[in-house]
Amino acid sequence: MSESDMAPNLVESGQNGESNPPRTPKALVAAVIIMGVMIVLGTVLLVGIIIHRMMNHAATPSTPASPAAMQAVAGPSSLAGPALLKLPRHADEQVMAVTARPDGALAVTLRDGQGDARILLWQPEQARLVAELTLSGTAEH
């Protein structure tokens, strides 16, 4: 059997032969590169956030400070002990709700037996009442 009797595709290396592997599409190469860059950037960003939070977390005290230290930080107007609220309660009045406000004040809702209610706005840092709102339970139509 001579070389001329063989099929031409068996003798010669064509486009799909072992010497020429198939080419990878350019879009696939670009996608792999972009994903690799995104992984590296995400890792760097995550490490940066962790380091930032660790440094800022160390700045806040984890143990409660002594009252003298709290007075030095907050200034001379703060109390050395816990702030006590002495409510000017009326007869038959009960505390119905206490709501914390974003500014640090507490809204205390009081209600008596007749349905009348009051809302007191209390600043615990200064141990004083800031405002009072009186609501009547009887409404005339």
Side-chain angles (χ1 to χ4, degrees):
M1 198 183 228
S2 69
E3 196 173 313
S4 61
D5 293 338
M6 294 183 157
N9 58 357
L10 293 177
V11 175
E12 298 177 14
S13 298
Q15 288 182 340
N16 292 333
E18 290 180 22
S19 62
N20 292 331
R23 294 195 48 155
T24 306
K26 290 182 180 183
L28 183 61
V29 172
V32 169
I33 291 172
I34 290 172
M35 284 188 281
V37 169
M38 289 174 61
I39 288 172
V40 170
L41 290 177
T43 304
V44 168
L45 181 67
L46 183 63
V47 169
I49 289 173
I50 290 172
I51 290 171
H52 175 72
R53 287 191 179 180
M54 285 175 53
M55 294 179 83
N56 286 344
H57 181 67
T60 59
S62 59
T63 59
S66 68
M70 291 295 288
Q71 188 171 6
V73 171
S77 66
S78 72
L79 300 173
L84 300 176
L85 173 62
K86 295 183 181 180
L87 294 174
R89 287 184 33 187
H90 297 150
D92 201 26
E93 211 171 38
Q94 295 181 356
V95 175
M96 300 305 292
V98 177
T99 306
R101 295 173 27 106
D103 62 351
L106 297 175
V108 181
T109 305
L110 304 168
R111 185 174 305 263
D112 63 8
Q114 288 81 26
D116 293 338
R118 291 188 307 148
I119 300 173
L120 304 174
L121 190 59
W122 179 50
Q123 286 283 346
E125 292 85 18
Q126 292 135 6
R128 69 181 182 97
L129 291 174
V130 178
E132 178 179 342
L133 174 64
T134 303
L135 305 170
S136 176
T138 59
E140 297 181 21
H141 295 285

